[in-house]
Amino acid sequence: MQTDEASETADTVRVWLVERTYSDDEQNLIILTYATPDGERDFRKERALTSYTGDHRETPVSMLVEPGNLGSVDDEETRDRYASEAERMREKHTPDATL
């Protein structure tokens, strides 16, 4: 099993899927939120709902992103929730798994 540390480099940080929501502003848009294991930083990715049809429905459980693309999670309750969900995903899935 691949570990987070083995796949990260000085230029990337592994984040884990912690939330999927529908956009309030745009119809047919899903927002995937990934977070660092401590829940302190996040990465958001938007996908059109139509991209979930056909052969390309898979969503990665984790991603490697550049640190400059991470946002800060300021709310303590959200940080705790993200950290718990990231831990749950890490326990259940390998870094290269998809949903």
Side-chain angles (χ1 to χ4, degrees):
M1 177 193 231
Q2 180 179 357
T3 65
D4 290 343
E5 294 77 23
S7 57
E8 288 184 32
T9 68
D11 299 327
T12 61
V13 175
R14 181 156 307 272
V15 292
W16 294 84
L17 182 65
V18 294
E19 186 174 76
R20 286 182 283 192
T21 57
Y22 290 98
S23 173
D24 292 334
D25 300 334
E26 299 286 331
Q27 290 185 348
N28 297 323
L29 194 63
I30 294 175
I31 300 168
L32 303 171
T33 303
Y34 292 80
T36 54
D38 59 12
E40 292 184 9
R41 302 186 76 197
D42 67 358
F43 174 76
R44 292 177 186 237
K45 182 176 182 175
E46 296 178 352
R47 283 184 71 180
L49 187 58
T50 55
S51 71
Y52 285 96
T53 60
D55 295 336
H56 296 88
R57 297 181 195 178
E58 297 177 340
T59 299
V61 297
S62 73
M63 301 175 68
L64 290 172
V65 298
E66 296 177 4
N69 290 331
L70 294 172
S72 178
V73 180
D74 298 326
D75 179 66
E76 184 176 349
E77 184 176 315
T78 302
R79 272 194 313 267
D80 291 344
R81 183 168 49 87
Y82 284 179
S84 294
E85 185 61 18
E87 180 64 26
R88 186 179 78 81
M89 294 297 275
R90 289 173 71 190
E91 289 175 355
K92 290 181 75 171
H93 303 283
T94 62
D96 59 346
T98 57
L99 298 176

